[in-house]
Amino acid sequence: MFKTVEWKGSAVVMIDQRLLPGEEVYRRYTGYKEVAGAIKEMVVRGAPAIGVAAAMGVALGASKIKAKDYQTFRKEFDKVADLLASTRPTAVNLFWAIERMKKVAAENRALPIPELKERLIKEAKEIHRDDIEINRTIGKHGGRLLKDRSTVLTHCNAGALATAGYGTALGVIRGAIEAGKKIKVFADETRPFLQGSRLTAWELKKDKIDVTLITDNMAGYMMKKGLIDAVVVGADRIAANGDVANKIGTYSVAVLAREHKIPFYVAAPLSTIDLKIGHGDEIPIEERDTSEVTHVKGNRIAPRGIKVRNPAFDVTPNSLVTGIITERGVVRRPYSKGLKGLFRKG
Amino acid sequence: MFKTVEWKGSAVVMIDQRLLPGEEVYRRYTGYKEVAGAIKEMVVRGAPAIGVAAAMGVALGASKIKAKDYQTFRKEFDKVADLLASTRPTAVNLFWAIERMKKVAAENRALPIPELKERLIKEAKEIHRDDIEINRTIGKHGGRLLKDRSTVLTHCNAGALATAGYGTALGVIRGAIEAGKKIKVFADETRPFLQGSRLTAWELKKDKIDVTLITDNMAGYMMKKGLIDAVVVGADRIAANGDVANKIGTYSVAVLAREHKIPFYVAAPLSTIDLKIGHGDEIPIEERDTSEVTHVKGNRIAPRGIKVRNPAFDVTPNSLVTGIITERGVVRRPYSKGLKGLFRKG
């Protein structure tokens, strides 16, 4: 099986997701600025995977700091953290992972600098290891919600490629299958970046999971034909009230799911839940370069000079969400209470 | 301005819509089999344009028949008509145009064969001329429904390129603009064939109409942001009860429009209305080659051997349609009565 992101020697290695499914190329990054670039350019993407990559980027940057005392070290360290935090605005896992690294730095300020650096690398590796474990637990909880011989629609890629491994939404599908259920999957291709056709289709096929690829605008048709039993998607940020920011198009899928009385589940780790944000409208939505819409694989598909909008995410209001599947169980309405409760369980 | 389809000398000339917006290439067809191929391969597409092309194909085929008596002629003629009718199943304009040509043949069976051939060519040219006139009238009726300074979302291409000229849905937009209104347009790119980004964006830009291109899955986001005031689309076939078959994704847009209380209009000539079909479920939906989904401009964007669905159309139930704009005025609920009434007006 492939590795999405990995700490190897003194470098961060990532599969270049821009080249999938055509080529399986691993990139080796030895500087934090390159890691930041890789996140920005979507070599790696998916909220949990971005979090892991950012933590490793912080550890990598920290390991190269020449300072001998904590104060000087910390000044440089914060620069590293700030650059990594500036790469993408929507997925909160990025900020969560960086905060976790900052906290470790602060808590271990008394350590000699070389040991502090080791401690930071250890933390980044732990975030990586934890994420896989969390996803397996999400998969167990969520797998119970899927009926045997059912067909699940998913949007974008919330799979092994979007996480340290196993996946959130695809983790739920894997969890159901590991529990002995027969599950079929419909994958939205997910324009403009085609995470569905390029990544979800690829990793499910590799896993021998029955997957059918459709364009985004076919989801409503398939639902109307009675071919979809449940929707499971990931999340980039979940507000305290249960509003969910996820890949552009998720909101439309949620509206269609309700129209057809199909349950709509969101699978995400606690690190995706942002209790500081009360309402989905407050979640910053990244607008990406227009070339993602006007070009596919470098080929122009729209007239030169055409105006384009390219919001990378949208917000699905909590009223359309049947349940949020986390590593601490499934939360249902009212979300404000349920989501807050998750953090007390720890 | 470009010509979508044209009778020129003793050939049918069409702009190759597969190459737009990159190249503006005109193809000249001198045999009806080639015209059938062009319809099948989507050199020309759009229900009214397919009707015009099929009529010209019939005229072209008829003009080459060597028979000297009507009976022998008619036998060959029906072969021509049958081949053209077999090209695409959903758009009823194709069958409507072929039936019109058959009727002209039957009505003029007494004519000497050379004159009958001329009569058929004249009819095909008339279908072409009528279509432009009809679209201008649709534009006038529909233009009144759009408010000044409003923004219209359209899906696929129901423009000059989908008709003999001017367009149905885009005709409504042109009609409003010609009536002095300021109208902005959002165009869904319309996967998999990209009629929105390749054709609608191209022809509106050429016409200096303010157009913004989005991917299909962004429509819900734009509606939620309050950026869309009305939806106008074309149709491939309208059942007697007002159910509308149109490009895949139209149904999803209609569900989203209702969710946001945005009027959803369908613009189509009477030749698109099929009173013989009672309900949208009876409309045959074409499934096209999977390569349209797995490839863009010849480049693979999905894993080899992946399962794909590719329905080219969907059906929007009449309950989601605010009004059907025809050359004989705007029909509203109850559609069964209103649509039937249109045909009595003639």
Side-chain angles (χ1 to χ4, degrees):
Chain A
M1 204 58 182
F2 58 90
K3 295 263 174 65
T4 304
V5 50
E6 199 183 4
W7 184 274
K8 226 170 173 175
S10 52
V12 182
V13 176
M14 301 183 215
I15 190 166
D16 190 339
Q17 302 197 25
R18 300 168 306 178
L19 303 181
L20 290 171
E23 295 171 75
E24 214 173 314
V25 173
Y26 288 85
R27 308 241 178 241
R28 192 170 173 274
Y29 299 101
T30 54
Y32 77 97
K33 284 181 190 171
E34 297 163 81
V35 173
I39 295 171
K40 213 179 170 89
E41 300 302 323
M42 293 171 73
V43 170
V44 65
R45 32 60 53 201
I50 288 175
V52 173
M56 290 185 175
V58 168
L60 195 62
S63 73
K64 303 276 171 79
I65 295 171
K66 293 210 169 68
K68 298 231 156 57
D69 63 291
Y70 181 76
Q71 232 171 359
T72 325
F73 173 87
R74 183 61 198 242
K75 228 171 121 180
E76 289 300 308
F77 177 86
D78 284 346
K79 267 192 216 160
V80 171
D82 286 351
L83 183 78
L84 282 153
S86 73
T87 50
R88 299 197 64 193
T90 304
V92 75
N93 308 60
L94 178 77
F95 310 107
W96 169 87
I98 292 169
E99 280 311 308
R100 184 160 152 182
M101 296 298 284
K102 279 184 176 175
K103 203 172 155 224
V104 166
E107 284 171 1
N108 295 281
R109 59 194 306 156
L111 287 181
I113 300 293
E115 283 175 46
L116 176 55
K117 289 176 178 176
E118 283 309 312
R119 180 65 192 80
L120 286 164
I121 291 169
K122 187 169 161 264
E123 189 70 16
K125 286 183 183 169
E126 253 175 52
I127 290 176
H128 182 271
R129 202 180 322 118
D130 288 356
D131 189 57
I132 299 178
E133 196 50 42
I134 285 166
N135 292 336
R136 291 197 168 270
T137 314
I138 288 174
K140 254 178 220 154
H141 292 314
R144 286 184 205 118
L145 301 172
L146 302 182
K147 295 199 183 91
D148 190 21
R149 298 179 183 278
S150 65
T151 302
V152 176
L153 174 74
T154 190
H155 187 73
C156 195
N157 172 269
L161 284 165
T163 59
Y166 203 74
T168 51
L170 300 193
V172 168
I173 289 162
R174 290 188 168 104
I177 291 170
E178 285 176 22
K181 295 176 187 173
K182 286 220 181 243
I183 305 288
K184 291 184 179 180
V185 181
F186 271 79
D188 281 349
E189 67 171 5
T190 318
R191 279 281 289 148
F193 209 67
L194 297 167
Q195 289 94 337
S197 53
R198 297 193 304 103
L199 310 179
T200 295
W202 182 76
E203 72 164 88
L204 291 183
K205 196 165 179 292
K206 221 170 161 114
D207 243 8
K208 300 192 175 25
I209 294 173
D210 186 329
V211 56
T212 301
L213 175 65
I214 56 172
T215 62
D216 301 304
N217 58 21
M218 290 173 193
Y221 176 91
M222 298 302 162
M223 289 183 186
K224 194 156 168 267
K225 291 274 172 199
L227 298 174
I228 310 292
D229 302 299
V231 177
V232 186
V233 297
D236 288 83
R237 193 184 301 217
I238 299 173
N241 71 343
D243 290 352
V244 175
N246 191 45
K247 181 53 53 199
I248 188 73
T250 303
Y251 168 60
S252 298
V253 174
V255 169
L256 287 165
R258 195 190 42 191
E259 172 80 9
H260 298 90
K261 300 183 173 51
I262 296 167
F264 178 91
Y265 296 110
V266 174
L270 262 67
S271 53
T272 302
I273 301 166
D274 187 358
L275 292 184
K276 291 194 301 294
I277 284 210
H279 190 279
D281 285 352
E282 299 162 37
I283 300 173
I285 300 296
E286 176 182 13
E287 285 248 359
R288 292 186 60 85
D289 197 85
T290 58
S291 65
E292 289 183 358
V293 175
T294 57
H295 291 68
V296 173
K297 283 207 147 199
N299 286 295
R300 175 173 285 282
I301 54 166
R304 274 176 205 286
I306 195 76
K307 272 202 286 184
V308 170
R309 286 290 306 275
N310 186 18
F313 304 94
D314 60 25
V315 173
T316 299
N318 56 25
S319 59
L320 297 176
V321 179
T322 310
I324 297 175
I325 307 162
T326 77
E327 67 269 35
R328 293 191 184 156
V330 180
V331 180
R332 295 180 187 263
R333 267 178 292 269
Y335 289 107
S336 301
K337 203 182 145 205
L339 292 177
K340 211 189 260 176
L342 287 178
F343 290 87
R344 277 196 297 264
K345 285 193 195 173
Chain B
M1 204 62 185
F2 59 89
K3 296 263 175 61
T4 304
V5 50
E6 200 183 3
W7 184 273
K8 229 172 171 174
S10 51
V12 182
V13 176
M14 302 182 212
I15 190 166
D16 190 339
Q17 302 198 25
R18 299 168 306 179
L19 303 181
L20 290 172
E23 294 171 75
E24 215 172 313
V25 173
Y26 289 84
R27 308 240 177 242
R28 192 170 172 274
Y29 299 101
T30 53
Y32 76 97
K33 286 183 188 169
E34 298 164 79
V35 172
I39 295 171
K40 212 177 172 92
E41 300 302 322
M42 292 171 76
V43 170
V44 65
R45 27 63 53 199
I50 287 174
V52 172
M56 288 183 176
V58 169
L60 195 61
S63 73
K64 304 274 171 80
I65 295 171
K66 291 205 172 72
K68 296 228 158 60
D69 63 292
Y70 180 77
Q71 232 170 357
T72 324
F73 174 87
R74 184 59 197 247
K75 227 171 125 179
E76 290 300 309
F77 178 88
D78 284 345
K79 268 192 215 160
V80 170
D82 287 351
L83 182 77
L84 282 153
S86 73
T87 49
R88 299 195 65 194
T90 305
V92 74
N93 309 59
L94 177 78
F95 310 107
W96 169 87
I98 292 169
E99 281 310 308
R100 185 161 151 181
M101 296 298 283
K102 279 185 176 174
K103 203 173 156 224
V104 165
E107 284 171 358
N108 294 278
R109 58 194 304 156
L111 286 181
I113 300 293
E115 282 174 48
L116 176 55
K117 289 175 178 177
E118 283 308 312
R119 181 66 193 81
L120 286 164
I121 293 170
K122 188 170 159 264
E123 190 69 16
K125 286 182 182 170
E126 252 175 52
I127 289 175
H128 182 272
R129 202 180 322 119
D130 288 356
D131 189 58
I132 300 178
E133 196 50 41
I134 285 166
N135 291 337
R136 292 197 167 269
T137 314
I138 288 173
K140 254 178 218 151
H141 292 314
R144 288 186 203 114
L145 300 172
L146 303 182
K147 294 200 183 92
D148 191 19
R149 298 182 183 277
S150 65
T151 301
V152 176
L153 174 74
T154 191
H155 187 73
C156 195
N157 174 269
L161 284 166
T163 60
Y166 202 74
T168 51
L170 301 192
V172 167
I173 289 162
R174 291 189 167 103
I177 291 171
E178 284 176 21
K181 294 174 187 174
K182 286 218 183 244
I183 305 289
K184 290 185 179 178
V185 180
F186 271 79
D188 282 350
E189 68 172 5
T190 318
R191 280 282 288 149
F193 210 67
L194 297 167
Q195 291 94 335
S197 54
R198 296 193 304 103
L199 309 178
T200 295
W202 182 77
E203 73 163 88
L204 291 182
K205 194 165 180 290
K206 217 167 165 122
D207 244 9
K208 298 192 175 23
I209 295 172
D210 186 329
V211 56
T212 302
L213 176 66
I214 56 173
T215 61
D216 302 304
N217 58 20
M218 291 174 193
Y221 175 91
M222 298 302 161
M223 289 183 186
K224 194 156 169 265
K225 290 277 173 198
L227 297 174
I228 309 291
D229 302 300
V231 176
V232 187
V233 297
D236 289 84
R237 193 184 303 215
I238 300 174
N241 71 342
D243 290 352
V244 175
N246 191 46
K247 181 52 52 197
I248 187 73
T250 303
Y251 169 60
S252 298
V253 173
V255 169
L256 287 164
R258 194 190 45 192
E259 173 79 10
H260 297 89
K261 299 183 175 51
I262 295 167
F264 178 90
Y265 297 110
V266 174
L270 263 66
S271 52
T272 302
I273 301 166
D274 187 357
L275 292 184
K276 291 195 299 293
I277 283 210
H279 190 279
D281 285 352
E282 300 162 38
I283 299 172
I285 300 296
E286 178 183 12
E287 286 247 358
R288 292 186 60 84
D289 196 86
T290 58
S291 65
E292 290 183 359
V293 174
T294 56
H295 290 69
V296 173
K297 282 203 148 203
N299 286 292
R300 176 173 284 283
I301 53 167
R304 274 176 205 285
I306 194 77
K307 269 202 286 184
V308 171
R309 286 291 306 272
N310 186 19
F313 304 94
D314 60 24
V315 173
T316 300
N318 57 25
S319 58
L320 297 176
V321 180
T322 311
I324 298 175
I325 307 163
T326 77
E327 66 270 37
R328 293 191 183 157
V330 180
V331 179
R332 293 178 189 267
R333 266 179 293 270
Y335 288 107
S336 301
K337 204 183 144 204
L339 292 176
K340 210 187 261 178
L342 287 176
F343 289 87
R344 277 196 295 265
K345 283 192 196 174

